[in-house]
Amino acid sequence: MAISKRKLMASVAAVWALSCAPMATASDTKFEITYLALTQHIESGINSTTDYNANHKFIGLEYRAGKHGYAVASFRNSFYEQSYLIDYARYWKWSANVELSARIGAVTGYEHHQDYCGKVCLFSSVGVAYTANKNFIPKLSFAPGVFVLSFSIRF
């Protein structure tokens, strides 16, 4: 039985919303705004002619509750199309100033690129962030085929 992409997106959104139930105390609850996303695409050939967007005009908001994060964002994707995403993140403290993450979610905006996934795509990524200054948090993430450098502020 095939599930429609619309039902899949609604299911992901429902799970995300329901999972925002209190999991942490007020002292470890935070918000982050992520801005800018610069990417480097990995291609199998050195003579690629694909003109990927490398500056995504990314803006996102994440609710952090302890080791868990829930985010929504808007950005111009690698094919210059408007995209929206929703995701869940799990964080691990590596050291006093370094944090590791794994994300899973859904993203729109790839329907014109049938080699990808259609209107709603599932995605995953792993990342590392340097958290010494809450006003400027550089992050480096890797998703299949692309490295992403972004910056966040925490409040």
Side-chain angles (χ1 to χ4, degrees):
M1 178 176 92
I3 185 169
S4 74
K5 289 179 183 171
R6 182 168 289 181
K7 286 182 183 177
L8 177 63
M9 184 65 170
S11 298
V12 169
V15 168
W16 179 79
L18 291 172
S19 64
C20 284
M23 289 183 280
T25 65
S27 65
D28 61 358
T29 300
K30 304 172 184 107
F31 285 91
E32 281 186 15
I33 293 177
T34 300
Y35 54 96
L36 189 63
L38 305 173
T39 57
Q40 178 62 50
H41 291 82
I42 302 165
E43 298 241 346
S44 58
I46 61 171
N47 296 323
S48 173
T49 59
T50 304
D51 178 27
Y52 290 117
N53 180 19
N55 182 353
H56 297 279
K57 299 179 181 175
F58 187 99
I59 185 73
L61 178 65
E62 182 170 8
Y63 171 74
R64 294 280 306 266
K67 297 177 181 179
H68 307 276
Y70 309 90
V72 293
S74 172
F75 63 100
R76 299 294 279 185
N77 69 28
S78 299
F79 300 103
Y80 302 90
E81 302 287 338
Q82 186 62 42
S83 289
Y84 303 96
L85 72 78
I86 183 170
D87 75 20
Y88 164 77
R90 173 65 165 85
Y91 293 93
W92 296 269
K93 204 68 153 156
W94 177 278
S95 69
N97 295 326
V98 177
E99 189 172 63
L100 305 177
S101 65
R103 299 178 110 47
I104 187 165
V107 63
T108 66
Y110 293 88
E111 59 268 20
H112 301 301
H113 308 283
Q114 295 306 316
D115 292 343
Y116 284 79
C117 55
K119 289 186 179 183
V120 178
C121 306
L122 295 179
F123 76 91
S124 61
S125 67
V126 294
V128 61
Y130 182 70
T131 60
N133 180 341
K134 72 177 186 173
N135 296 316
F136 182 75
I137 304 168
K139 298 179 177 184
L140 182 62
S141 302
F142 177 74
V146 65
F147 285 99
V148 181
L149 175 64
S150 60
F151 303 94
S152 294
I153 56 172
R154 190 172 290 162
F155 55 97

